[in-house]
């Protein structure tokens, strides 16, 4: 009987081992190589010991899974794009998939059309109208065998080994919390954007809502509608109603002004008709340390101030020194109670950008030369809000605008295509290739909506130069027409046009979903 028990135990162990082997070989990230629907994947080291990401490990027991290994000489070179903002998506759209395999690493699988994001907060537009899938922008990512999209965050870069460290965005799947892998590149484009600045003010991250992503707009909408319904409940005091229905916006740039204008339109045209019991309590306050819309002409700023005030927006000049759960405290100790707090004071480099051992420009951005290359390292480029010219170029750091990022993405796509056609697409092979004309940015102008079918249009290249600057209904029509043509796909243009028409005829949807 003893030999029979041992034989049974041996058989069970053998079956378990075979099952684990089959499971490992069936999963692409648990095997050293595989061929999945003819899309070549990967050979990598499971547990690298000599290299560590530039950010600290949050856990000692992280597991390094295989990733995309280096390309071979007979294969297409690989361009890895970090980020899916204006710069990264315009770059991917312009890259030639016949020359390169394209790999995008980003925590979101879509691009956000940020100029219209404020309109989604109050129901003027639906959320899907401002989100463009990456696979629609560059179809090769879903069709070509060597091109991929990875839903992940970049956690480190080894420029000397042409390797990027990634960590999957798991959205709460605990069995995937340690999912890390590496992606090798021939050309790397860092387009990670920027993060909202809080200036170190305590309580901002805990209590304020930013307006940079679709989920931010969804959060603002839910909070706004929830406060409206809570304020209508029996037993709510007058003071509590005033607090719940007080919407405070910090930051008088284009984002803050446009959101304030959209919110005032929502209050005047929808809330006061459908929430008659609380219509006299809801109001908007815009807090700015200096002048609102500081990049616009003085005449346009005065017009914006007059129009916002006329629409019921209270303008307060002050500096926020503390944010608490139900009130904002200014530098003069003035307390401003709020039910909704939106923070839009500008952007700055993210912790990852600051931690990278790469040259930096003014403000902590990644430094680039005239051709948007990162000096010192090979085959690394940087575009968008996370990059700026190094001091040796003599060029100022460009503003964090969508048009800057888009123009850089378009320029770099053409440059990389030219390098690839000249045989310099693979790693360390573009040293002697003529790069052509350097990148030059020319400002096309600025636009901003202030509500009540009014907008500002400033088409001058700078405040000191002469040019077209106008305000009013015609400017509002130009503003809408320009953004409608700039929406990436015809599908979303159709969505936006239909949403605008529906809102004009039937009003905004105030359902809390």
């Amino acid at each position: 009987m003893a030999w029979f028990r041992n034989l049974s135990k041996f058989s069970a162990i053998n079956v378990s081992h075979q099952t684990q082997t089959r499971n490992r070989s069936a999963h692409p990230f648990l095997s050293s190589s595989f061929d999945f629907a003819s899309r070549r994947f990967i050979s990598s080291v499971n547990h690298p010991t000599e290299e560590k990401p530039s950010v600290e490990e949050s856990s000692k027991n992280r597991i390094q899974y295989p990733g995309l290994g280096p390309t071979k000489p007979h294969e297409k070179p690989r361009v890895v794009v970090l980020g899916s903002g204006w710069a990264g998506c315009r770059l991917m759209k312009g890259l030639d998939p016949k020359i390169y395999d394209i790999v995008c690493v980003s925590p979101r699988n879509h691009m956000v059309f940020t100029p219209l994001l404020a309109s989604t907060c109050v129901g003027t537009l639906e959320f899907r109208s401002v989100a463009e899938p990456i696979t629609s922008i560059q179809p090769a990512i879903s069709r070509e065998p060597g091109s991929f999209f990875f839903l992940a965050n970049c956690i480190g870069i080894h420029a000397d080994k042409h390797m990027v460290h990634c960590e999957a965005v798991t959205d709460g799947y605990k069995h995937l919390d340690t999912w890390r892998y590496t992606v090798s590149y021939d050309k790397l484009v860092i387009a990670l954007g920027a993060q909202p600045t809080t200036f170190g003010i305590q309580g901002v991250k805990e209590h304020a809502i930013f307006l940079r992503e679709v989920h931010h707009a969804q959060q603002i909408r839910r909070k706004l509608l929830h406060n409206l319904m809570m304020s209508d409940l029996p037993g709510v005091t007058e003071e509590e109603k005033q607090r719940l229905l007080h919407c405070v916006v910090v930051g008088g740039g284009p984002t803050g002004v446009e959101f304030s204008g959209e919110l005032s339109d929502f209050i005047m045209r929808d809330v006061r008709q459908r929430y008659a019991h609380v219509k006299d309590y809801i109001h908007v306050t815009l807090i700015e340390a200096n002048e609102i819309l500081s990049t616009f002409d003085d005449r346009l700023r005065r017009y914006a101030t007059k129009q916002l005030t006329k629409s019921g927006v209270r303008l307060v000049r002050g500096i926020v020194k503390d944010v608490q759960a139900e009130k904002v405290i200014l530098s003069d100790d003035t307390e401003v109670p709020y039910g909704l707090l939106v923070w839009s004071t500008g952007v700055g480099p993210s912790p990852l950008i600051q931690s990278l051992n790469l040259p930096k420009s003014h403000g902590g951005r990644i430094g680039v030369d005239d051709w948007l290359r990162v000096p010192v390292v090979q085959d690394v480029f940087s575009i968008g809000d996370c990059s700026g010219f190094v001091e040796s170029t003599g060029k100022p750091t460009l503003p964090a605008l969508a048009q800057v990022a888009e123009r850089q993405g378009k320029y770099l796509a053409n440059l990389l295509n030219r390098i690839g056609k000249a045989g310099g697409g693979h790693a360390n092979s573009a040293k002697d290739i003529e790069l052509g004309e350097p990148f030059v940015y020319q400002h096309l102008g600025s636009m901003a909506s202030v509500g009540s079918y009014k907008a500002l249009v400033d088409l001058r290249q700078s405040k000191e130069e002469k040019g077209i600057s106008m305000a009013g209904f015609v400017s509002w029509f130009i503003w809408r027409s320009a953004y409608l043509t700039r929406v990436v796909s015809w599908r979303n243009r159709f969505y936006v046009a239909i949403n605008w028409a529906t809102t004009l005829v039937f009003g905004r949807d105030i359902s809390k979903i």
Side-chain angles (χ1 to χ4, degrees), residues 19 34 85 272 284 308 378 485 488 505:
T19 302
F34 82 113
R272 291 184 175 176
V284 183
L308 289 172
Q378 289 290 325
T485 59
V488 178
V505 176

Side-chain angles (χ1 to χ4, degrees), residues 224-470:
L224 177 62
L225 295 177
H226 181 76
N227 288 351
L228 274 169
M229 287 179 279
M230 289 295 294
S231 65
D232 211 10
L233 293 177
V236 178
T237 64
E238 297 286 312
E239 182 181 1
E240 182 65 5
K241 279 187 180 181
Q242 292 179 351
R243 184 193 69 80
L244 283 172
L245 297 179
H246 188 198
C247 305
V248 176
V249 182
V250 179
T255 300
V257 168
E258 288 188 343
F259 176 73
S260 299
E262 287 281 353
L263 197 53
S264 66
D265 278 355
F266 176 62
I267 293 170
M268 294 174 64
R269 290 179 171 80
D270 299 277
V271 172
R272 291 184 175 176
Q273 293 180 11
R274 306 180 195 185
Y275 287 92
H277 299 104
V278 297
K279 64 180 182 179
D280 296 328
Y281 294 92
I282 184 168
H283 56 286
V284 183
T285 297
L286 176 60
I287 301 175
E288 169 57 41
N290 300 301
E291 294 283 343
I292 65 170
L293 300 174
S294 58
T295 59
F296 284 76
D297 177 74
D298 292 340
R299 180 179 63 86
L300 297 183
R301 287 207 305 270
R302 290 194 297 270
Y303 179 90
T305 301
K306 179 181 177 181
Q307 187 60 43
L308 289 172
T309 305
K310 183 179 178 181
S311 300
V313 179
R314 178 188 172 209
L315 301 179
V316 174
R317 179 175 291 187
I319 300 175
V320 177
K321 73 173 184 179
D322 190 23
V323 175
Q324 299 180 9
E326 296 182 351
K327 62 183 178 182
V328 170
I329 301 176
L330 304 182
S331 57
D332 60 357
D333 293 328
T334 301
E335 295 184 355
V336 183
Y338 68 85
L340 171 67
L341 177 61
V342 177
W343 195 269
S344 60
T345 58
V347 296
S350 66
L352 174 63
I353 296 299
Q354 295 175 347
S355 69
L356 293 176
N357 187 23
L358 296 173
K360 297 294 193 299
S361 69
H362 178 71
R365 297 181 176 188
I366 297 175
V368 296
D369 63 11
D370 291 327
W371 292 270
L372 307 181
R373 300 175 300 179
V374 179
V376 182
V377 296
Q378 289 290 325
D379 300 319
V380 179
F381 303 80
S382 184
I383 54 178
D385 296 350
C386 68
S387 67
F389 291 112
V390 293
E391 186 177 355
S392 60
T393 63
K395 297 181 178 180
T397 299
L398 296 175
L401 299 175
Q403 61 175 296
V404 174
E406 185 181 29
R407 301 275 292 282
Q408 287 181 334
K410 181 179 180 180
Y411 169 85
L412 186 55
N414 293 330
L415 177 61
L416 289 176
N417 288 339
R418 187 162 58 249
I419 291 174
K421 291 178 181 178
H426 283 92
N428 301 315
S429 62
K431 297 179 180 179
D432 300 326
I433 294 178
E434 179 63 34
L435 299 180
E437 295 294 326
F439 174 76
V440 177
Y441 172 71
Q442 291 185 341
H443 188 60
L444 300 179
S446 302
M447 295 184 292
S449 170
V450 293
S452 300
Y453 304 107
K454 303 294 192 301
L456 315 177
V457 174
D458 191 350
L459 301 182
R460 300 170 304 157
Q461 292 194 9
S462 67
K463 294 169 62 175
E464 293 76 21
E465 296 185 14
K466 294 183 179 181
I468 299 175
S469 61
M470 55 193 299

